[in-house]
Amino acid sequence: MRPMWAGVIAGVAVAVANGLAAWLALRWAWSRPEFIVPVVLGSMAVRLLLVGVVSALLLLFTSLDARYYAGSLILVFVVIQGAEIAAILRRAAADRSADSQT
């Protein structure tokens, strides 16, 4: 496999793992409304730290091309972050709508 594609695949994999962790944390917190903000902010901090550590380890101990790795990681990370924000806003709007109808 060419180094370019290895970097892209690794970047996408790390970003998707981060997105999956975010989705699981949100799913857990949605049934506990008092924990939404701490879970969103706390998990974001922990996930960013883990992405940084994993990225440093991958770039230090493998021959991945850092440009392709970082580029794909950032691109997929931003897309997933946008989806996470949209999901939170959608859920908040649905909860407000349900509260106003009762």
Side-chain angles (χ1 to χ4, degrees), residues 31-88:
S31 61
R32 299 154 184 87
E34 66 275 8
F35 293 125
I36 290 284
V37 173
V39 166
V40 169
L41 296 178
S43 75
M44 188 180 305
V46 170
R47 289 183 291 115
L48 282 174
L49 180 65
L50 287 173
V51 166
V53 168
V54 168
S55 295
L57 292 172
L58 280 172
L59 293 174
L60 285 173
F61 297 109
T62 67
S63 61
L64 293 176
D65 188 322
R67 295 169 298 175
Y68 293 108
Y69 173 78
S72 62
L73 173 70
I74 291 167
L75 179 66
V76 175
F77 187 90
V78 167
V79 169
I80 291 174
Q81 193 68 39
E84 180 183 352
I85 291 168
I88 292 168

Side-chain angles (χ1 to χ4, degrees), residues 8 11 20 26 62 67 70 83 90 96 101:
V8 169
L20 179 62
L26 283 174
T62 67
R67 295 169 298 175
R90 225 176 311 123
R96 279 194 304 274
Q101 292 177 357

Side-chain angles (χ1 to χ4, degrees), residues 3-30:
M4 174 186 81
W5 289 112
V8 169
I9 290 169
V12 169
V14 170
V16 168
N18 175 65
L20 179 62
W23 180 73
L24 291 171
L26 283 174
R27 255 191 91 164
W28 180 84
W30 277 334

